[in-house]
Amino acid sequence: MQIYTTIAACRAALGTERQAGRRIVFVPTMGNLHEGHIALMQKAREHGDCIVASIFVNRLQFRPGEDFDKYPRTLEADCEKLVAAGVDYLFAPPEAELYPSPQRYVVEPPPEHAAILEGEFRPGHFRGVATVVMKLFSIVQPHAALFGKKDYQQFMVLSSMVREFALPIEIIPGETVRAPDGLALSSRNGYLSPEERAEAPRLYRTLLNVAEAVRSGCRDYARLETEAMDHLRAHGWVPDYVAVRKRIDLQCPTPEDISLVVLAAARLGSTRLIDNLEI
Ligand code: PAF
């Protein structure tokens, strides 16, 4: 695996690959890689013959007081996993390479996509995500890129961005990878104490219950959401939201809408977890 830390070197190497006719598939990450990331790398291989990963903890998508400083940075271990997964290139720039001066030009996703759900509790988060992904796309110029469905809203925002800017990039979803007890894999799971880790799968079980109720015909989504949040609170969680939404745009469904997803975000101690389940 070739590792590049500068934009110029990464562009030059990938330019050669493009000219050789290889299909470049890109998996952007913030590192601290787990099986969910590795599944994305493996899926990337099904979609192309030059696999590029990036590792960059993007300050722009963290709000003051969030975990930017303590976000786990584990480059050496990550590189070993990427090599084992057969990744061809890693772009891992230092912050000064991607943001040599404050980033003034940004991608501002529309509020109906970015100010709901995660965006309500993390204002500006999707501006930060869209801006760095646009910049990474401009450096890597991939034919396709993969994003995990664990960050369901992120997937929707980035798919819309690519469509509306007519970027010639295929956006491919990756399924959420779960621990045997159902907890969705996430770099933030590492923040959990042993007791919190034992409690954490309740978030997924709560989503399963909501999904089951909807599948059984319940259309009173507001009641299901309230009950789910009360259930989490009763077990020590501080939920931000549990929401049944339309898959396509994450807006509130009418009783006739059938393609749904239930999404949740909740704090357990000082760790904020998110998860979702297509219904
Ligand atoms: O999902 C992530 O890890 C990040 O939001 C991304 C897409 C790499 C942008 O920083």
Side-chain angles (χ1 to χ4, degrees):
M1 181 175 77
Q2 299 290 316
I3 304 176
Y4 294 107
T5 56
T6 68
I7 295 172
C10 184
R11 275 218 174 104
L14 296 179
T16 308
E17 294 285 353
R18 217 169 290 112
Q19 275 173 357
R22 300 216 173 79
R23 184 170 156 84
I24 298 174
V25 185
F26 181 36
V27 186
T29 81
M30 296 206 298
N32 193 237
L33 304 179
H34 50 65
E35 281 306 311
H37 295 111
I38 301 309
L40 287 178
M41 307 297 162
Q42 284 158 352
K43 187 164 183 183
R45 185 57 73 193
E46 295 164 20
H47 291 269
D49 42 17
C50 174
I51 311 307
V52 182
S54 67
I55 294 180
F56 181 69
V57 184
N58 172 38
R59 184 185 293 275
L60 293 190
Q61 68 192 73
F62 291 79
R63 284 173 57 73
E66 290 189 344
D67 55 344
F68 174 76
D69 287 329
K70 77 165 182 177
Y71 200 86
R73 286 146 171 99
T74 52
L75 187 61
E76 213 172 301
D78 290 346
C79 285
E80 283 172 21
K81 291 177 188 171
L82 292 174
V83 169
V87 169
D88 300 298
Y89 293 95
L90 171 64
F91 180 49
E95 193 169 23
E97 179 71 10
L98 227 49
Y99 301 134
S101 53
Q103 182 79 21
R104 294 170 304 166
Y105 285 79
V106 296
V107 178
E108 187 73 65
E112 63 269 30
H113 287 172
I116 60 169
L117 302 169
E118 281 304 281
E120 187 183 337
F121 293 90
R122 305 183 71 192
H125 170 67
F126 290 112
R127 180 196 309 126
V129 171
T131 300
V132 79
V133 170
M134 184 64 106
K135 197 157 183 171
L136 290 168
F137 280 175
S138 116
I139 296 162
V140 174
Q141 296 181 37
H143 297 92
L146 280 92
F147 297 92
K149 285 205 284 188
K150 154 107 184 347
D151 294 298
Y152 207 88
Q153 189 174 5
Q154 169 173 283
F155 184 84
M156 190 265 289
V157 166
L158 295 175
S159 302
S160 305
M161 177 184 87
V162 163
R163 195 169 51 246
E164 293 201 14
F165 280 112
L167 301 180
I169 302 172
E170 183 189 359
I171 301 297
I172 300 164
E175 293 305 320
T176 301
V177 178
R178 299 183 180 279
D181 61 9
L183 178 65
L185 298 192
S186 162
S187 301
R188 291 188 168 102
N189 293 351
Y191 300 153
L192 298 167
S193 70
E195 296 73 29
E196 290 166 346
R197 175 62 189 82
E199 170 61 22
R202 189 179 306 280
L203 189 61
Y204 178 54
R205 291 202 301 272
T206 304
L207 295 178
L208 283 172
N209 288 341
V210 173
E212 184 50 38
V214 173
R215 286 196 194 106
S216 310
C218 178
R219 295 290 173 268
D220 189 350
Y221 303 132
R223 178 172 64 76
L224 293 178
E225 292 165 2
T226 305
E227 285 175 1
M229 288 203 282
D230 286 347
H231 174 71
L232 289 170
R233 275 189 205 100
H235 290 86
W237 296 71
V238 180
D240 282 343
Y241 59 83
V242 175
V244 177
R245 295 296 170 98
K246 292 192 282 183
R247 285 188 205 179
I248 182 80
D249 56 7
L250 299 184
Q251 301 303 306
C252 293
T254 64
E256 289 72 43
D257 287 313
I258 47 166
S259 197
L260 304 176
V261 56
V262 54
L263 309 102
R267 227 169 265 282
L268 190 54
S270 58
T271 307
R272 187 172 182 278
L273 298 178
I274 64 171
D275 200 353
N276 65 79
L277 188 62
E278 289 177 335
I279 301 176

